[in-house]
Amino acid sequence: MAVRQVITWGDPRLKNKNRDVEDWTPELDQLVADMFETTASQEGAGLAAPQVGINIRLAVVDVSSGADPAQKVVLINPEIIREEGEQIGEEGCLSIPGFTEVLKRPMKVWIKNRKPNGDWEELEAEELRARAFCHEIDHLHGRLFVEHLGPVKRNIIQRKYQKQRRD
Ligand code: NI
């Protein structure tokens, strides 16, 4: 396993179109292992393949940041099929290091997800894991969490972020 370099806000690969995962390969097993390792190394809750520069519809979620193997979820070509309620809480992203914002998300989501063997499954998540699912699925649509903010707030963050990168 290896920690991969995470690309950051402004890199065009975060906005590229991501293609569906088709055949599952040993390289994808390796990529998934590396993505979990990278998430844990930065104390994140998940990571999407485009964040390591690979434009496919694959993401990992681990709300324990590496502490509990039972928390690991691999999202492959995931789609939200239902959502319920709402939660308001702080959210951050490994591609926008050092910044968090308070964001509204559904309290509960149901997801249609492909398994590595090609079968489909339905996953249910609430609270922190539901937030992480929504955040990672956004990445697979080329969307960062700051795009949920109003334009004024987003501009302030963008300016602060660019200043921080220059310093
Ligand atoms: Ni993110």
Side-chain angles (χ1 to χ4, degrees):
M1 285 197 292
V3 170
R4 303 225 180 175
Q5 198 196 341
V6 177
I7 61 176
T8 55
W9 194 10
D11 189 307
R13 288 171 291 178
L14 291 172
K15 313 261 5 156
N16 280 355
K17 192 166 164 44
N18 298 301
R19 55 186 174 75
D20 278 341
V21 172
E22 280 163 22
D23 295 329
W24 195 260
T25 61
E27 288 72 25
L28 290 175
D29 276 328
Q30 185 62 54
L31 175 61
V32 163
D34 290 354
M35 285 167 62
F36 277 121
E37 182 84 357
T38 306
T39 302
S41 78
Q42 300 204 31
E43 290 173 15
L47 190 67
Q51 292 180 277
V52 293
I54 300 171
N55 285 114
I56 57 175
R57 303 207 336 106
L58 173 74
V60 302
V61 169
D62 176 8
V63 294
S64 79
S65 295
D68 176 9
Q71 296 293 324
K72 289 181 175 179
V73 183
V74 181
L75 298 179
I76 304 169
N77 305 342
E79 270 172 56
I80 296 176
I81 49 180
R82 192 153 83 86
E83 39 183 80
E84 200 178 275
E86 63 178 52
Q87 56 174 316
I88 292 170
E90 203 144 307
E91 197 164 315
C93 179
L94 298 183
S95 291
I96 312 180
F99 289 86
T100 58
E101 270 300 324
V102 171
L103 219 68
K104 195 190 330 181
R105 294 285 194 182
M107 180 53 92
K108 203 166 172 186
V109 293
W110 288 259
I111 282 165
K112 186 183 163 210
N113 189 52
R114 208 198 94 153
K115 296 199 271 187
N117 70 8
D119 291 345
W120 290 88
E121 63 182 350
E122 196 178 304
L123 301 176
E124 189 184 310
E126 52 189 338
E127 300 189 4
L128 187 54
R129 190 186 271 189
R131 176 178 294 280
F133 278 13
C134 291
H135 180 109
E136 300 312 331
I137 290 171
D138 270 354
H139 274 298
L140 303 182
H141 291 108
R143 215 157 41 220
L144 296 174
F145 79 95
V146 290
E147 289 167 59
H148 288 280
L149 303 170
V152 174
K153 222 169 191 180
R154 189 168 61 227
N155 279 337
I156 292 169
I157 291 198
Q158 192 155 17
R159 252 180 282 129
K160 276 194 202 155
Y161 174 78
Q162 283 162 347
K163 182 174 186 306
Q164 186 209 59
R165 305 302 279 182
R166 275 196 311 270
D167 293 346

